[in-house]
Amino acid sequence: MFLLVYLFVFAGALLAEVQLDGRQTVGFYLRAAGGDLLHALPVATLAGAIWVAIAYRFNQAIIDTVTGGRDVTRQEQPRLYNLLENLCISRGIPMPKLKIIDSASLNAFASGLNPQQYSVTVTSGLLDRLDDAEMEAVLGHELTHIRNGDVRLMVIAGIIAGIIGFFAELAFRLFFRPGRSSSRGGGKNGSAALVFIIALVLIALAWLVSMLIRFALSRSREFLADAGAVELTKNPDAMISALRKIESRSELEGATSAVMEMCIDNPRRGFANLFATHPSVQNRVQALVKLAGGHDPGPILTLADTGASPSHDAGLNT
C-alpha cells in the first residue's frame, strides 16, 4: 500500500508534465515524470509519515467523537469488566480499556495503535441481548484482533487508503473543473492526451487497489478473530450464537464507513461484494461449524424471546 502512494505521485507527475508542455512524446513524459518522482520521494515519504503520526496520536479520540463511546469502570459495568478481565488473565494479555456506546444496535469493535490506546467498545444493545457465554465470545473476538495486531494493521491501511483517496479526489476535481483550459503549454498532441489518460487511469487504479487490499485484509482477519475467540473461550457454539443474534442488527446509525469496518459485523456491502469488509455471517458460521465443531441454530428472526436479562453469574469472580 505504501508503494501505491508512490505510484500515485508518479501519476501526478505525469499530469504536471503534460500541463507544462502539451507537445512532447510519450517517452519524454515518462522520463520526466520518473525524474520528478525521484525528487519527490523524500517529500512524499515525509508527508505520509506526518499523516500517519497525526492519526497515531488522535485516532482513538476521533473514533470516540464519531461513535459517542465512553470509558466504563468495573463499578459501572462489573459483568462486562470481569468477563474481559478473566479472558485477559487466562492468556496473560494486558487489559485494554472498556468503552460503551449507547445504541440499540448489536455490535462491538477493538481499536488503538499501541498498548496504551487499545480498547474494546461494545454497544449497550449488545450487552443487553447477549448472555455471558456469547458476550465472552465477542470479547474474545475483539481481544484476538488486538493480539494479532489487526487493529494496528487496519488503522494504518485505512490511513494510507485515505491519503490516496483524498488526493485522487483532489486530482479529479482539479483537472475536470468546469471552464478549465486544456493546457497552459498550448494544445495537446496525441501523445500528451494519451499520457493524460494513462495518468488518470493510474490514479483510479491506485485508489481501487488500495481499497481492495484493505477490504481483503479485513475479511481474512475476521475469520482469524472468530477462530481466536473459540481458542480463548473453548466454546464455538457461543461464538455462533452471538453472530446469529448480531446478524442484521449491527448497523450503527451515524457511524462512518471507517468505523463500521472495525466492527465485529458490517452489514454494508459494495459492488458485487468486492467492497465488503466482512465475510457474511453465514460464511463465518459455516467455518466455525466445519473447523471448530460448532452447532448452527440458524438465523434468529426475532430477539423477543432472547432479550431477557443475561445471567450475571459467570465472570463475576476474578
Side-chain angles (χ1 to χ4, degrees), residues 3-4 34 52 62 106 110 129 176 222 241 244-245 265 296:
L3 290 176
L4 289 175
V52 171
I62 294 171
L106 277 58
R129 293 295 185 175
F176 289 98
E222 290 306 314
S241 178
R244 285 303 190 186
K245 287 185 178 180
D265 181 50
D296 180 16

Side-chain angles (χ1 to χ4, degrees), residues 205-227:
L205 183 64
W207 174 81
L208 178 63
V209 172
S210 71
M211 298 299 286
L212 291 177
I213 291 174
R214 177 183 171 193
F215 295 156
L217 284 172
S218 182
R219 286 191 291 269
S220 65
R221 294 291 169 176
E222 290 306 314
F223 283 118
L224 290 173
D226 289 344

Side-chain angles (χ1 to χ4, degrees), residues 284-295:
R284 293 165 69 178
V285 168
Q286 286 177 352
L288 289 170
V289 170
K290 179 180 179 181
L291 302 176
H295 302 85

